[in-house]
Each structure stands twice: as structure tokens, then as C-alpha cells.
Amino acid sequence: MALPQTMTQVRFNGYGSPDVIEIETAPVPQPGSGQVLIEVAAAGINRPDCLQRAGGYPPPPGATEIPGLEVSGTIVAIGEGVPASRIGEKTCALVISGGYAEYAVADAALCLPVPKPLSLLEAGGLPETYYTVYDNVFTRGRLKKGETILIHGGSSGIGSTAIQLAKQAGAIVYATAGSAEKCEFCRSIGADEAIDYRAQDFTAEIKRLTGGKGVDVILDMVGGPYIQRNINALALEGRLVQIAFLQTSKVELDLMNVMLRRLTVTGSTLRARSVALKAKIAEKLLKEVWPLLEAETVRPIIHKTFLLEEARTAHELMESSAHLGKIMLEVRR
Ligand SMILES: NC(=O)c1ccc[n+]([C@@H]2O[C@H](COP(=O)([O-])OP(=O)(O)OC[C@H]3O[C@@H](n4cnc5c(N)ncnc54)[C@H](OP(=O)(O)O)[C@@H]3O)[C@@H](O)[C@H]2O)c1
């Protein structure tokens, strides 16, 4: 079937509030060498999209300015070096940008199969969170069976994925979240305990829950005053993994515990890494995590789905932080 020349996409008309979000018609992109063109069924909304909209997270040079880090859909065209047999494949893909559109280009190496129990829509919410969580919790954070982990933002897209994967890996899982309802949600998906950070001091609670020892790994997206408190909440040889700074990355710190407790402070971003590095994460996900999705022991949790044209409302919901899990955009043809 012939592809259309043009498509609908979302763009940011400048930087700022969700009001800068506009819908436009644009040419359908062409896949380059090693790439595929996906007819998008769904695109996940991720907090970094809000940061990009506000002007703080530009796409790497050469990537489209159109937002969107993950999509699901059907491969409808291929670039040089990609086997023609991939046309027609249902896939979920990590994309460097351009996901909020009817068609998106993805590197073939970053296109994973849709796990059988999941709908195309659900699969669209996997790539950005699963790549990020797997790499930061297990590769960087080196979380092992029997260890303890504290996951901040437990009810977020990232947090709800981290809780489930850490639990499946045999860890004891603690989470923080901003209300009693969010804490209950964290426990319902596998957290052994959840701390309402607005009502309790999480450092004191972690010390109490671990008998004074502290946790082995912390996954943090908040930063600011959390940084010192995280360092104080880590056990001997503990690892702090920083994946964002929703508050600030600039603080004054007492690093004495880093030395005395032999701590590791690390972190990463996903988007700027090379396709080859991301493909290595894809291989590990396929081998170690996709079987859990196939067995339905972990699952993406979709809070609400909007039409592509409703991206502005979807961003407003994300910034209200009222959601539990993922927010999705759906393409209706
Ligand atoms: N490094 C990477 O490669 C990478 C990749 C993807 C995402 N991320 C980061 O991971 C984080 C989660 O992403 P997501 O898409 O899952 O977002 P999300 O669902 O919107 O979750 C963010 C959560 O953080 C909490 N929060 C928001 N503002 C806060 C603040 N000022 N102080 C404390 N907590 C705050 C909210 O929960 P409460 O109501 O409980 O406060 C909110 O649910 C984001 O910061 C994102 O930038 C990093």
C-alpha cells in the first residue's frame, strides 16, 4: 500500500507551558540507513518531553525537534541494510525524538517485539521506561537478589516500572510517593513499603525499615535536598543512581559518608547515547525482561490515553502529577 506524503504531528511552537503545543501537517519522514518507518499506533508521554517543551532538554544534533521518545506500531518502510522481511512487523521502539506523530523513524536495532499479552497501545509505553530502568537499576545500580532498593517517585512511569522489575529480581523494595493513595498504588504493584514523603521523613523511615543499616540502591529523579538525604540513607557500599533533577542539581553536600560508607554516586541519561549502546540495552531487555512481560509478571500501567491531537491536555495532566503510571497518546486513523 502506498504511503501518504503528509501526516499529522505535534510540535512545540517555542518553549514554555503546554500552551506552546500545536498540531501541524508535515511530510512523512524517510528512514535512513539501518532505520525503519513506523506507522504509529501509540506514543508514550515521558517527563523529559515536558522538560524539552520548557527548553531544558533539546534533542541531540540532527534529530527532529518533534517530541516523543517511544512509539508502538507497524513497520511500513525500511532503510538501507534492513531486511525487507521486517515490513509488517508489529513493534515497540525507542526513538530519539519524533514519536508524537502519525509516522516515526526508528533505528531497527531499537525496535523490540510487542510482548504477546500486550496490546499495541500498552507496548507503546514500554521502551523509554524499560530501557531507563533496566540500565540504571541493574547495570549502573548493580541491584542483586536479596538487596534493598529505595525508588523515589514510585507512582511515576519510571517508578512503577522500577518497583515491578526490582521486585521480580528478588529485591526488597521501598518507594516514596506524594500521597497516601500513591503509596497504596506502589504497594499494590509490589513495593514492600511505601513512604508518603509529604507526611514522613524518608531517611528516618528507611533507617527504621532496615534496622539502621540503610538501603543498597537508591533510584532518584528529584535531586535538590534529596541528594544529602539519599547519601545518608545508603548502606555500606550503597549506590545512588541519579536519573533526573526535578528540583535542582546544585546543592552543598557533606560527602563524608561517601568515604566512610564506601558509596557510589552515579547516574545517566538515555537519549544522548549511541545507537550501539542503546542496542546493547535492547538485547538485555529482550533476554531478561521480555520473558517477564510475556509471563505477565510485570506489565505497563497506563493511567490515561489521549488522542495525538490532545497532547496539550496530556502534558497538563503529567505536570499536575495526578497520574499513576504512564500517560499515552493514541493515533486514530
Ligand atoms: N535519565 C534518563 O535517561 C531518564 C529517562 C526517562 C525519564 N527520566 C526521568 O525520570 C523521571 C520520571 O519520569 P516519568 O516519565 O516517569 O515522569 P512522571 O510519571 O511524570 O513522574 C514524575 C513524578 O515525580 C514526582 N515529582 C514531580 N515533581 C516533583 C518535585 N518537584 N519534587 C519531587 N517529586 C516530584 C511526582 O510524583 P509525586 O506526586 O509522588 O511527587 C511525579 O509523579 C523524570 O524526572 C524524568 O526526567 C530520566
Side-chain angles (χ1 to χ4, degrees):
M1 207 176 68
L3 290 173
Q5 298 286 311
T6 60
M7 64 171 187
T8 301
Q9 67 182 19
V10 173
R11 76 166 187 134
F12 299 149
N13 184 11
Y15 298 128
S17 74
D19 288 346
V20 302
I21 296 178
E22 290 183 348
I23 308 300
E24 67 177 10
T25 301
V28 170
Q30 301 291 315
S33 177
Q35 294 182 323
V36 300
L37 181 70
I38 297 173
E39 184 186 70
V40 175
I45 298 217
N46 293 279
R47 200 77 169 203
D49 306 342
C50 300
L51 198 58
Q52 177 180 330
R53 196 202 66 232
Y57 192 54
T64 170
E65 293 281 331
I66 301 307
L69 301 169
E70 58 185 359
V71 297
S72 60
T74 308
I75 296 177
V76 289
I78 47 161
E80 196 189 319
V82 180
S85 57
R86 294 203 72 169
I87 291 181
E89 192 180 301
K90 304 278 186 218
T91 188
C92 53
L94 187 71
V95 293
I96 199 156
S97 57
Y100 291 16
E102 287 186 306
Y103 291 86
V105 165
D107 289 290
L110 308 183
C111 293
L112 288 167
V114 175
K116 275 189 210 74
L118 301 188
S119 64
L120 256 187
L121 172 77
E122 290 170 310
L126 294 174
E128 177 68 14
T129 45
Y130 276 69
Y131 277 73
T132 300
V133 168
Y134 183 88
D135 189 56
N136 286 287
V137 170
F138 299 104
T139 305
R140 240 148 271 284
R142 307 190 303 277
L143 182 70
K144 290 186 283 296
K145 188 176 175 178
E147 286 194 325
T148 47
I149 180 168
L150 170 62
I151 296 161
H152 290 301
S155 63
S156 65
I158 290 280
S160 58
T161 303
I163 289 172
Q164 294 182 74
L165 290 184
K167 193 68 194 162
Q168 282 304 312
I172 298 160
V173 181
Y174 305 121
T176 62
S179 69
E181 184 207 2
K182 286 186 168 189
C183 286
E184 188 43 46
F185 168 75
C186 294
R187 284 187 281 267
S188 76
I189 57 171
D192 293 277
E193 198 45 81
I195 303 161
D196 177 352
Y197 69 83
R198 294 184 204 274
Q200 288 171 296
D201 171 4
F202 75 78
T203 311
E205 270 305 288
I206 286 298
K207 289 279 171 154
R208 185 185 69 76
L209 289 163
T210 57
K213 189 170 161 261
V215 284
D216 298 300
V217 178
I218 299 179
L219 182 69
D220 185 39
M221 58 189 71
V222 179
Y226 275 38
I227 303 175
Q228 185 73 63
R229 294 162 73 195
N230 284 335
I231 286 171
N232 296 345
L234 280 170
L236 273 180
E237 305 278 357
R239 288 86 72 193
L240 169 60
V241 189
Q242 206 71 56
I243 56 164
F245 295 94
L246 281 164
Q247 294 193 11
T248 176
S249 59
K250 293 183 183 161
V251 287
E252 191 176 308
L253 285 178
D254 178 352
L255 291 174
M256 187 60 79
N257 273 338
V258 172
M259 179 178 73
L260 295 179
R261 303 180 79 79
R262 303 188 294 277
L263 307 179
T264 302
V265 178
T266 181
S268 73
T269 60
L270 184 62
R271 175 146 82 164
R273 275 189 261 180
S274 68
V275 175
L277 284 177
K278 290 185 229 180
K280 286 207 170 86
I281 306 176
E283 278 168 30
K284 287 184 186 156
L285 282 173
L286 195 55
K287 195 163 152 239
E288 293 174 30
V289 177
W290 254 232
L292 303 176
L293 288 160
E294 295 278 351
E296 295 184 82
T297 50
V298 299
R299 67 197 164 98
I301 297 163
I302 311 290
H303 178 82
K304 193 160 179 180
T305 302
F306 294 86
L307 293 177
L308 181 65
E309 292 79 2
E310 297 171 322
R312 188 183 294 180
T313 319
H315 270 227
E316 284 165 356
L317 173 59
M318 175 156 278
E319 291 196 334
S320 76
S321 288
H323 58 290
L324 302 170
K326 298 279 300 188
I327 302 170
M328 302 296 298
L329 294 177
E330 187 181 15
V331 175
R332 289 243 184 96
R333 293 187 162 78

